[in-house]
């Protein structure tokens, strides 16, 4: 069932979104060569704790997962696309890092992701991040009253394909509100004019996941969570929680 939020609910989601944005900004600032991914998770936990928020990631266990997720962020490095578990890996010069984070505050949820490089960037990584951001921007621009989910999907996918990038097979964005994952699903490719109609009060997490090698398939690490490119190419993941409003799309996960 798709829940249409009241304006009051969207304001509450905006507060949760601010917590997510602060956590991501804190993690990015802490991401220097030599830092362990586990330390980044600890930094994000501190932000959530200080805000009185809880993590929708910690303890989350969908049907595919062998164990509950053990952290408050997903930390995916280089060929890891999404769902990386932050452990003892130390960041290295030139790493491409994607961080996904959520927060639940006063019963409402925000969810966002960023991708960035550590130390000396590779030009190809910067281009991949830029393409992913462009895909997200296109998807958000299509998230207007009177259009449909397929318009968002088509906008995201068109940018990815124009940049010769792959899109993680079967994964995309989602509705969001009282919980992290709600209906409707928001594929990262699709046909315009199809799918659930967009109306004022619908809240969506739009999240392109682009792979530099152009392939859509992936492999799963033994941890049962981390998804990697099959060809070892790099990946980027950028996400915002967005509200559909009569005044246009409103990004809820900004500082």
């Amino acid at each position: 069932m798709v829940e249409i939020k009241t304006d009051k609910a969207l304001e509450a989601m905006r507060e949760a979104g601010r917590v997510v944005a602060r956590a991501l900004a804190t993690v990015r600032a802490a991401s220097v060569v030599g830092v362990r991914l586990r330390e980044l998770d600890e930094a994000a936990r501190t932000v959530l704790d200080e805000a009185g928020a809880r993590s929708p990631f910690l303890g989350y266990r969908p049907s595919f997962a062998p164990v509950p997720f053990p952290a408050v962020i997903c930390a995916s490095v280089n060929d890891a696309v999404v769902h990386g578990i932050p452990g003892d890996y130390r960041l290295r010069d030139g790493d491409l890092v994607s961080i996904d984070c959520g927060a639940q505050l006063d019963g409402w949820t925000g969810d966002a992701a960023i991708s960035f490089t550590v130390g000396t960037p590779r030009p190809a990584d910067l281009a991949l991040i830029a393409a992913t951001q462009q895909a997200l921007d296109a998807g958000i621009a299509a998230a207007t009253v009177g259009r449909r989910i397929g318009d968002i999907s088509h906008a995201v996918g068109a940018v990815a394909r124009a940049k010769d990038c792959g899109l993680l097979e079967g994964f995309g964005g989602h509705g969001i509100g009282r919980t992290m994952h709600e209906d409707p699903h928001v594929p990262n490719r699709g046909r315009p004019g199809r799918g659930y109609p967009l109306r004022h009060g619908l809240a969506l997490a739009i999240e392109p996941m682009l792979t530099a090698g152009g392939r859509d398939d992936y492999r799963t690490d033994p941890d049962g969570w981390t998804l990697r490119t099959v060809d070892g190419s790099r990946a980027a993941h950028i996400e915002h929680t967005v509200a559909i409003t009569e005044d246009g799309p409103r990004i809820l996960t900004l500082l």
Side-chain angles (χ1 to χ4, degrees):
M1 177 180 292
V2 176
E3 180 185 18
I4 301 301
K5 279 72 179 177
T6 65
D7 289 346
K8 182 178 180 180
L10 293 180
E11 287 302 322
M13 290 183 67
R14 177 71 181 102
E15 293 308 309
R18 284 192 174 95
V19 176
V20 174
R22 288 200 298 272
L24 288 173
T26 298
V27 168
R28 182 167 190 166
S31 297
V32 297
V33 173
V35 168
R36 295 184 188 273
L37 296 181
R38 190 185 307 278
E39 295 176 82
L40 301 182
D41 185 67
E42 292 168 357
R45 287 177 191 244
T46 298
V47 174
L48 267 60
D49 289 346
E50 290 177 349
R54 64 175 296 272
S55 169
F57 290 19
L58 184 63
Y60 179 61
R61 188 179 183 183
S63 58
F64 66 80
V67 295
F69 196 76
V72 305
I73 62 169
C74 297
S76 307
V77 181
N78 298 332
D79 65 331
V81 190
V82 289
H83 301 167
I85 295 176
D88 289 328
Y89 177 85
R90 291 185 182 273
L91 292 176
R92 302 171 183 172
D93 186 55
D95 276 346
L96 194 169
V97 182
S98 295
I99 303 292
D100 194 355
C101 184
Q104 289 181 332
L105 183 68
D106 298 329
W108 296 98
T109 311
D111 184 14
I114 56 174
S115 288
F116 54 89
T117 58
V118 175
T120 307
R122 298 183 182 185
D125 288 346
L126 296 179
L128 178 62
I129 293 170
T132 309
Q133 182 66 58
Q134 185 179 340
L136 176 59
D137 292 344
I140 293 173
T144 57
V145 171
R147 302 183 79 176
R148 290 180 177 268
I149 291 292
D151 294 303
I152 298 173
S153 303
H154 178 73
V156 170
V159 171
R161 296 314 192 199
K163 301 293 185 179
D164 296 322
C165 291
L167 291 162
L168 198 65
E169 183 68 38
F171 286 82
H174 48 87
I176 185 171
R178 299 177 192 274
T179 61
M180 179 169 58
H181 290 143
E182 299 181 355
D183 291 332
H185 178 57
V186 187
N188 280 331
R189 57 178 179 272
R191 297 177 63 182
R194 301 294 183 91
Y196 190 84
L198 306 182
R199 47 186 287 207
H200 182 92
L202 180 63
L204 303 172
I206 303 174
E207 50 178 324
M209 308 160 197
L210 273 59
T211 65
R215 296 178 58 167
D216 299 342
D217 52 350
Y218 60 89
R219 62 181 179 86
T220 305
D221 275 5
D223 63 24
W225 277 100
T226 308
L227 306 184
R228 296 186 185 274
T229 60
V230 172
D231 58 6
S233 64
R234 306 266 202 159
H237 173 210
I238 308 179
E239 174 185 17
H240 271 306
T241 296
V242 180
I244 313 300
T245 80
E246 294 289 353
D247 297 324
R250 181 186 181 194
I251 300 174
L252 303 180
T253 41
L254 295 172
L255 286 172

